[in-house]
Amino acid sequence: MKLSVIGGGGVRSMFLAKSIAQKAEQLGISRLVFMDNDTEKLNIYGKMAKKVSELLCPDLEFILTTNAEEAITDADYIITTIRVGGDEMRVRDERIALNLGLLGQETTGAAGLSFAMRSVSKLAEYCELVKKYAKPNCKVFNFTNPAGVVSQTLRDMGYDFTYGICDAPSGMLRTFEKLYGAEEGSAKGEVYGLNHLSYFSSIKINGKEIMDELIENDRAYEETDMRYFEKKLLKERGCVLNEYLYYFYYREKAIENIIKADKTRGEQICAINRQMTKALKKIDIDKDFDKALEIFEYWYGLRENNYMASETGVKRTQPWHFDIYQKDSGGYAGVALNFIEIINSKKEGSMILCVPNGNAINGLKESDVVEVTCDITKDGAKPHHFGDVDEENLELIRRVKIYERLASQAIREKSKQKAVEALTLHPLVNSYSLACQLIDKYLELNKEYTGEWK
């Protein structure tokens, strides 16, 4: 089996390599290709990923390439995780919104549309190569943000072999396992909503429902990503919230905290990645991998412990360490590998994916891409049926889904009018005049990548 990663020169490449290498023999993965069009980053982070793979699974053939056709040819599965324009464009995306007093977060905020405007055309190019060169039943797992808009647009373009993946829901379930001292994989969640806007309607550990006691558990607000919410809010909602819902339920706090902070999240990551890359360029990865790993751990640890800190005022305090040999917790590669494992087993299993709604959530269109718990079979992913969900939760889901539909249409048609309509309806913009200003600025910013819009 051949698995390829498009965007294999990213700073998180070692995490991907670790996840895949630890399960390669079990899943029958014999060839792993990391492709990136940034030669410098591929020669740093791609090489570090290759070293991790060699240490964990020496028999796994690991290839680094800048040639997309080579990566895609005969691939059984592909993971896409690209950042068109690099970290610097994320900084500009977010600052443009923030300068108008709006949340610029790159997935839930207004900046997400700008990011998607750059990403979709490049992803579509890769999808066309998949149709031409990959195995006939090749599946593409998209981790490129904003996964909601991107997944919707790719499906609207007819690429029905694509699935949006995100490790936020599964990552939260793992924190609940640790909280209760339970084995990895023992926590199961029923999730409905959209990417970065989803709700747990049920959380079970070893088959026992724990939702009510979890919401009352004070430790959960200290040791898990429930830390971003007040207990009162979760009791009112009657469910556990995806961490990114912080931006919707505490919008003014998020904006106030970001303005007060020295740097936005994008600026933090850009600065950290720049300094980390500068330091790693001086190291011969092949000869001094241990030194390279030490540098990586220092800088990435800073990034990890500042996750959502600017927006929430809450900083993670646990020391961060990359242990090559520790059992892998999965991350977003784990989501893709879970899919492959279920397919290989020829038995049904469930997982959380971004897929067309079908009849999963009443009040949404069948073609709306949603993030829900699905049953996985040889025929693909079948969303669980949630039917009528909480009215207030559905109202927010519907509003953002309409934004995503319009954003998809705007990107596919290069329509300025539809882009303005999309942001006008976005709950974190909610203004025609501001939407007009944002789109003018984003079209100017992205004209090198998107060309002229009508």
Side-chain angles (χ1 to χ4, degrees):
M1 182 191 299
K2 177 179 176 181
L3 190 156
S4 297
V5 177
I6 306 298
V11 298
R12 298 175 71 179
S13 291
M14 282 201 301
F15 308 147
L16 273 167
K18 176 182 172 180
S19 299
I20 297 165
Q22 284 191 352
K23 285 198 168 185
E25 189 174 335
Q26 174 192 341
L27 298 180
I29 300 170
S30 56
R31 277 185 97 196
L32 179 58
V33 181
F34 274 34
M35 175 267 165
D36 206 293
N37 55 18
D38 188 323
T39 304
E40 180 181 84
K41 290 178 71 178
L42 192 65
N43 283 332
I44 295 173
Y45 301 107
K47 277 189 175 180
M48 293 179 75
K50 186 175 183 180
K51 182 66 176 178
V52 168
S53 177
E54 289 170 348
L55 290 169
L56 291 172
C57 188
D59 293 335
L60 176 61
E61 182 184 4
F62 195 114
I63 298 167
L64 297 175
T65 183
T66 57
N67 188 315
E69 187 176 319
E70 178 186 359
I72 290 169
T73 298
D74 293 329
D76 296 275
Y77 295 97
I78 295 169
I79 297 173
T80 56
T81 173
I82 66 174
R83 181 170 290 283
V84 179
D87 296 327
E88 292 78 10
M89 288 295 278
R90 173 182 178 173
V91 168
R92 296 173 71 182
D93 286 340
E94 293 182 343
R95 271 295 169 192
I96 284 172
L98 199 59
N99 288 342
L100 293 173
L102 299 170
L103 184 73
Q105 206 278 335
E106 69 158 352
T107 59
T108 59
L113 180 55
S114 183
F115 190 9
M117 287 163 65
R118 294 193 299 275
S119 301
V120 167
S121 59
K122 180 54 68 174
L123 287 168
E125 289 178 20
Y126 293 135
C127 284
E128 286 298 316
L129 292 177
V130 169
K131 289 166 64 176
K132 189 173 182 181
Y133 296 110
K135 292 276 183 68
N137 293 317
C138 179
K139 300 289 188 292
V140 176
F141 299 102
N142 174 63
F143 188 69
T144 302
N145 276 323
V149 173
V150 170
S151 298
Q152 182 69 58
T153 311
L154 291 177
R155 284 279 179 161
D156 289 342
M157 296 173 82
Y159 301 121
D160 57 2
F161 48 79
T162 60
Y163 296 87
I165 61 173
C166 180
D167 54 349
S170 56
M172 186 170 264
L173 288 174
R174 280 192 292 275
T175 66
F176 299 150
E177 291 167 349
K178 292 178 182 177
L179 182 71
Y180 282 86
E183 290 185 9
E184 184 178 323
S186 60
K188 304 295 181 183
E190 289 294 323
V191 171
Y192 71 88
L194 311 177
N195 178 246
H196 287 184
L197 199 160
S198 55
Y199 299 84
F200 285 88
S201 62
S202 169
I203 297 172
K204 294 179 180 178
I205 292 185
N206 295 320
K208 178 190 174 186
E209 181 62 59
I210 64 165
M211 179 72 79
D212 291 342
E213 64 180 86
L214 182 62
I215 291 174
E216 292 290 348
N217 190 332
D218 290 336
R219 285 179 52 217
Y221 298 88
E222 297 174 359
E223 300 175 25
T224 78
D225 284 339
M226 284 168 57
R227 63 172 59 89
Y228 304 123
F229 306 103
E230 297 166 272
K231 182 186 292 188
K232 180 182 178 184
L233 172 62
L234 268 60
K235 289 175 72 172
E236 289 172 356
R237 295 291 85 237
C239 60
V240 170
L241 312 183
N242 183 298
E243 66 214 59
Y244 282 86
L245 277 164
Y246 170 84
Y247 297 110
F248 292 94
Y249 288 106
Y250 298 90
R251 176 182 58 181
E252 78 292 342
K253 288 185 179 181
I255 294 172
E256 182 183 356
N257 287 335
I258 293 170
I259 291 172
K260 279 188 201 173
D262 292 334
K263 294 186 175 84
T264 64
R265 176 67 175 161
E267 287 164 348
Q268 287 176 356
I269 289 175
C270 188
I272 288 170
N273 288 352
R274 187 186 300 119
Q275 292 174 85
M276 179 166 60
T277 302
K278 182 179 179 181
L280 287 170
K281 279 174 66 175
K282 301 174 184 177
I283 304 296
D284 187 321
I285 306 295
D286 295 318
K287 293 180 180 178
D288 201 356
F289 177 70
D290 288 344
K291 181 62 177 177
L293 188 58
E294 180 184 323
I295 292 169
F296 179 86
E297 281 190 331
Y298 171 76
W299 288 107
Y300 200 89
L302 289 179
R303 168 177 167 156
E304 189 70 9
N305 286 330
N306 280 288
Y307 175 70
M308 286 184 73
S310 294
E311 302 95 322
T312 66
V314 179
K315 191 172 182 177
R316 293 177 176 177
T317 56
Q318 294 180 342
W320 188 86
H321 174 62
F322 182 74
D323 187 335
I324 294 172
Y325 300 100
Q326 185 180 38
K327 185 178 178 182
D328 185 57
S329 60
Y332 61 92
V335 179
L337 294 173
N338 191 20
F339 186 100
I340 297 170
E341 186 171 5
I342 294 170
I343 294 295
N344 283 1
S345 72
K346 296 182 170 60
K347 298 177 182 177
E348 286 192 9
S350 65
M351 59 185 296
I352 301 159
L353 281 176
C354 294
V355 296
N357 177 59
N359 69 344
I361 304 171
N362 291 347
L364 297 179
K365 294 182 178 181
E366 290 186 10
S367 59
D368 285 339
V369 171
V370 294
E371 183 173 87
V372 292
T373 307
C374 301
D375 289 329
I376 309 301
T377 69
K378 61 181 177 60
D379 299 318
K382 181 181 178 182
H384 285 190
H385 178 67
F386 293 89
D388 294 326
V389 300
D390 180 276
E391 186 177 35
E392 291 181 37
N393 295 350
L394 179 62
E395 181 66 22
L396 183 55
I397 292 167
R398 279 173 51 83
R399 187 73 178 269
V400 174
K401 189 68 250 179
I402 295 171
Y403 152 73
E404 291 184 351
R405 284 183 210 143
L406 288 166
S408 167
Q409 186 178 357
I411 292 168
R412 287 180 286 117
E413 298 176 1
K414 293 193 171 185
S415 169
K416 179 178 177 180
Q417 177 188 334
K418 291 300 177 184
V420 169
E421 288 178 20
L423 284 182
T424 299
L425 285 172
H426 194 301
L428 299 178
V429 178
N430 203 33
S431 164
Y432 176 76
S433 58
L434 289 174
C436 289
Q437 293 180 63
L438 278 168
I439 292 305
D440 283 342
K441 292 177 185 297
Y442 284 148
L443 287 176
E444 177 64 26
L445 176 68
N446 292 315
K447 62 183 178 182
E448 174 188 343
Y449 302 94
T450 62
E452 293 297 321
W453 282 32
K454 56 190 178 189

